[in-house]
Amino acid sequence: MALRSGPGQADLGSVVQHEDGGLLLPGAEEPTVGVGPYQLAWRRLRRNKTALVFGGIFLLIVVLSLLAPVYADHIADTGPNVNHISETITVGGKQVDVVSLEGIPIGPTWRSHFFFGADPNGRDLAVRLLYGGRNSLAIGGLATAITIVLATIVGVVAGYFRGWTDTILSRLLDLIWAYPALLLAIALGVSLALGGISIGPIHITAGSDIVPALIIGVVYIPYVARPIRGEVLSLREREFVDAARAQGAGHLRIMFSEILPNLLNTLIVFVALQLAQSIALEAALSFLGAGVQAPNSSWGTLLSGSVQQITTAPHLTLVPGITLVIAVLSVNVFGDGLRRALDPRAQVRVK
């Protein structure tokens, strides 16, 4: 097909029809075609190198934590709760006590055995760090799932039905919101960690890792449900919801097929940011004795057991502390980059 210019116009020359239906002007490499919102989000995220780097760091921490049994069985040759308090190891051609007569554990050896040193009970700190990472990440992930699911249900129902339903649910959220998250989690953790949870057919024994996950998940519900409720209040007045009502769609169908898909971007961002909050709160609870219970380890329990020897054995504090900071920081930075990428108002150059 060829297009010719009229009088007083520039010659357009030949216009070629592309295989996908677009038109190529002379000198153009590719037609400008429409792309979906998630393709645009991926393009924005790819340009945010900082977010990708920190996301990769967090992924590396997750993979290393999942490989804790492999490291313990095939490299360190010890378990997370095995004591070596009366043993010696060879470091630099010399025999060194794992724990000295003064009770000071050996520091980092940077070898396969006791890579990060030992704790006062002669346990391999690197092994306990990886197993502690498994517990911290598992509790944080489960708590995040509980928060997102319950907050989404509460927020969507309250925002959609409004009226008395919104009033009752909002007051319940205000009741949880009134207490600082850490103080409320400590109070619940101390009470439930001793007696466990028994609600009808559900029985969770004391000391189970599900207890802190459930506590953290419930404590953070208002922080996620309130923004979702506000967004649903706006979405329910949109034209596509009115069209669904006109077609005879019921409340459940409108909430699940019309409103919930439009909350997906918000929920994706909340998952990343809430995961960081859950990991940090789990560490705080375990540090105070209301989270993971001995002999199991987490990053919080490792920090708690190192306070008394912070001057004589600083590696006991530095190793889990730095790991915790890196994990929480990496999730926060990646979550912020994800939020920017999913922002429909962000600008991106389409190639």
Side-chain angles (χ1 to χ4, degrees), residues 37-38 40-55 265 268-273 328-344 346-347:
Y38 292 105
L40 288 175
W42 171 238
R43 292 185 182 184
R44 298 185 191 109
L45 187 60
R46 282 190 305 178
R47 292 189 177 92
N48 193 340
K49 303 301 182 183
T50 302
L52 292 179
V53 169
F54 277 94
N265 288 358
I268 291 174
V269 174
F270 268 126
V271 167
L273 299 179
V328 174
L329 179 63
S330 61
V331 178
N332 270 320
V333 174
F334 179 75
D336 184 67
L338 198 60
R339 178 189 62 81
R340 294 173 180 271
L342 291 171
D343 187 356
Q347 300 296 323

Side-chain angles (χ1 to χ4, degrees), residues 59-71 130 133-134 137:
L59 182 61
L60 178 62
I61 293 175
V62 172
V63 172
L64 291 178
S65 297
L66 293 176
L67 293 177
V70 177
Y71 176 81
L130 294 180
R134 285 165 62 95
L137 294 173

Side-chain angles (χ1 to χ4, degrees), residues 156-166 232 236 251-252 255:
V156 171
V157 171
Y160 179 79
F161 288 104
R162 300 187 300 185
W164 284 105
T165 303
D166 184 21
V232 172
R236 74 182 305 277
H251 296 310
L252 289 178
M255 286 189 291

Side-chain angles (χ1 to χ4, degrees), residues 72-93:
D73 296 338
H74 300 285
I75 299 178
D77 294 327
T78 185
N81 299 318
V82 178
N83 296 335
H84 303 276
I85 192 169
S86 60
E87 299 180 12
T88 60
I89 62 172
T90 304
V91 179

Side-chain angles (χ1 to χ4, degrees), residues 183-314:
L183 295 181
L184 180 59
I186 292 174
L188 294 175
V190 172
S191 59
L192 297 179
L194 299 177
I197 301 175
S198 181
I199 304 175
I202 301 176
H203 299 280
I204 302 176
T205 60
S208 173
D209 291 347
I210 299 179
V211 174
L214 184 59
I215 292 171
I216 297 171
V218 171
V219 164
Y220 278 122
I221 288 178
Y223 298 87
V224 179
R226 279 178 169 270
I228 292 178
R229 169 189 170 273
E231 193 163 348
V232 172
L233 286 173
S234 174
L235 289 173
R236 74 182 305 277
E237 305 298 334
R238 303 287 292 273
E239 293 78 5
F240 62 87
V241 175
D242 293 335
R245 291 196 189 100
Q247 293 174 359
H251 296 310
L252 289 178
R253 180 179 175 184
I254 292 175
M255 286 189 291
F256 281 96
S257 63
E258 302 293 339
I259 293 180
L260 197 57
N262 286 278
L263 295 173
L264 188 58
N265 288 358
T266 302
L267 294 177
I268 291 174
V269 174
F270 268 126
V271 167
L273 299 179
Q274 187 57 42
L275 180 59
Q277 297 289 337
S278 299
I279 294 174
L281 185 54
E282 183 281 324
L285 289 178
S286 298
F287 180 84
L288 298 172
V292 176
Q293 303 297 312
N296 296 329
S297 65
S298 75
W299 292 332
T301 59
L302 293 178
L303 287 172
S304 177
S306 65
V307 173
Q308 296 180 349
Q309 292 187 314
I310 191 171
T311 56
T312 57

Side-chain angles (χ1 to χ4, degrees), residues 71 76 78-80 82-85 87 89 91 96-100 103-130 302 309 312-320:
Y71 176 81
T78 185
V82 178
N83 296 335
H84 303 276
I85 192 169
E87 299 180 12
I89 62 172
V91 179
V96 181
D97 293 329
V98 175
V99 181
S100 67
I104 301 175
I106 189 174
T109 64
W110 314 119
R111 300 159 59 91
S112 59
H113 295 73
F114 301 98
F115 185 84
F116 286 133
D119 68 0
N121 292 322
R123 296 172 294 191
D124 193 312
L125 182 59
V127 174
R128 287 182 61 79
L129 180 74
L130 294 180
L302 293 178
Q309 292 187 314
T312 57
H315 66 283
L316 297 177
T317 302
L318 292 176
V319 172

